[in-house]
Amino acid sequence: MYRVDPNRAYTIAEIAEQTGLSPDTLRYYEKIGLIRPPERGYSGQREYSAIDLGKIVFVTYLRNTRMPLKKIQEYIAAYNEQDEEKCYALLDEHRVSVEAEIAEWTATLELLKYKLEHFQEVKDGRLSKGELQHESE
Amino acid sequence: MYRVDPNRAYTIAEIAEQTGLSPDTLRYYEKIGLIRPPERGYSGQREYSAIDLGKIVFVTYLRNTRMPLKKIQEYIAAYNEQDEEKCYALLDEHRVSVEAEIAEWTATLELLKYKLEHFQEVKDGRLSKGELQHESE
DNA sequence: ATTTGACTTGGAGTTCGCTCCAGCGGATAT
DNA sequence: ATATCCGCTGGAGCGAACTCCAAGTCAAAT
């Protein structure tokens, strides 16, 4: 996807550029233990390796699935312990919650569509479904 | 739906009971101007009328559509100004955002399913799609 | 030599929608 | 009379995921 030189150090700005995360977010992820602290250069600045970059990109992949940061932490912990079953289980658990989310939003949409379809009737008082009514001042 | 005596005053606990909102939430909604302050009894306690109850139930209907509180405020303002077009427009706008939400979650689900389907191959190194890979320590 | 710019830190602030709390007054039950 | 509720207020806290800031260091460019 990107041209990555494995023998180079990357600044935080470069990592931000490559991953689409902001430098602040990168430091934040580091602070909460989501990504490993990179090496530091002479003057204390972060020097990310290509390996660091790879790991951060990986985190963004999980984030793309809207996995909560806490769950990503769990995933990474399982990954580091080479617990493939747990990794799979975490992904699958997450899938279940995503499906629940979709179900809820879909129900919401249906409700909204109902309100929209019956809007005129409700306004005219031809329908007394209640959902769009409340008494006037 | 509920038996409501229009000539009675309701305590905050009764309103909470009827609407499923907590007393704290009712006071909060009042504080942010989402619901009109009810009358107060002798000792300063809130005395909601059946009309108040109706309006609060109406707010819960909008909240059931996951409409943000700010948008509900706008809706109520439009309603009070009898601006039906704006009311309709706000609902429709909200429908669009709900549809966007569903689209995003659906894309997320597809991505997750992809990861799950190819989990074994990625683990085995038979697939180099990248999305589930990151270099090891 | 000086300005500009990138980076550092710890910590505060943001948004959303509540939820909880201390410290009070007043009502109800025994 | 006392214990127990219910309700009141203003304000703090929460959780998620950032985002911003001041004050400092350091390096590069002019």
Side-chain angles (χ1 to χ4, degrees), chain B residues 9-57:
Chain B
Y10 296 85
T11 67
I12 199 166
E14 288 170 323
I15 299 293
E17 163 98 60
Q18 295 286 313
T19 61
L21 300 171
S22 75
D24 266 326
T25 299
L26 285 164
R27 283 186 286 254
Y28 169 70
Y29 280 5
E30 188 184 324
K31 185 154 61 180
I32 65 169
L34 197 56
I35 62 185
R36 211 189 42 166
E39 296 297 311
R40 294 302 182 108
Y42 166 66
S43 61
Q45 285 173 228
R46 289 171 178 78
E47 291 187 344
Y48 295 88
S49 70
I51 287 174
D52 290 330
L53 175 55
K55 290 187 183 186
I56 295 166
V57 167

Side-chain angles (χ1 to χ4, degrees), chain A residues 55 66 79 104-105 137, chain B residues 55 66 104-105 134 137:
Chain A
K55 290 187 182 186
R66 296 186 173 199
Y79 186 92
E104 283 172 36
W105 279 110
E137 291 277 325
Chain B
K55 290 187 183 186
R66 297 185 173 198
E104 284 172 35
W105 280 110
H134 68 144
E137 292 278 327

Side-chain angles (χ1 to χ4, degrees), chain A:
Chain A
M1 340 185 36
Y2 296 107
R3 185 191 304 268
V4 173
D5 180 346
N7 300 315
R8 234 190 92 210
Y10 294 86
T11 66
I12 198 166
E14 287 170 325
I15 300 294
E17 163 99 59
Q18 296 285 314
T19 61
L21 300 171
S22 75
D24 265 325
T25 299
L26 286 164
R27 283 186 286 251
Y28 169 69
Y29 280 4
E30 187 182 325
K31 186 153 62 180
I32 65 170
L34 197 56
I35 61 185
R36 210 189 41 164
E39 297 296 311
R40 295 302 181 108
Y42 167 65
S43 60
Q45 286 172 229
R46 289 171 178 79
E47 291 187 345
Y48 294 89
S49 69
I51 287 173
D52 290 328
L53 176 55
K55 290 187 182 186
I56 295 166
V57 166
F58 176 69
V59 166
T60 69
Y61 288 147
L62 289 180
R63 205 71 199 67
N64 285 346
T65 72
R66 296 186 173 199
M67 187 181 277
L69 299 186
K70 283 209 174 144
K71 202 141 206 165
I72 296 179
Q73 279 176 351
E74 275 188 76
Y75 189 99
I76 288 173
Y79 186 92
N80 288 338
E81 289 163 19
Q82 276 148 17
D83 189 343
E84 291 184 25
E85 279 187 35
K86 184 155 191 200
C87 284
Y88 189 91
L90 285 168
L91 279 183
D92 202 52
E93 227 176 71
H94 181 50
R95 177 188 57 76
V96 169
S97 72
V98 168
E99 282 173 354
E101 199 69 43
I102 290 172
E104 283 172 36
W105 279 110
T106 301
T108 291
L109 182 59
E110 291 314 308
L111 178 56
L112 251 185
K113 278 184 178 169
Y114 179 85
K115 286 189 194 306
L116 283 163
E117 273 166 31
H118 297 279
F119 188 83
Q120 205 50 54
E121 292 108 285
V122 169
K123 281 285 152 191
D124 295 350
R126 268 181 273 133
L127 197 74
S128 58
K129 280 282 181 178
E131 293 94 330
L132 270 170
Q133 285 187 315
H134 67 144
E135 293 75 9
S136 48
E137 291 277 325

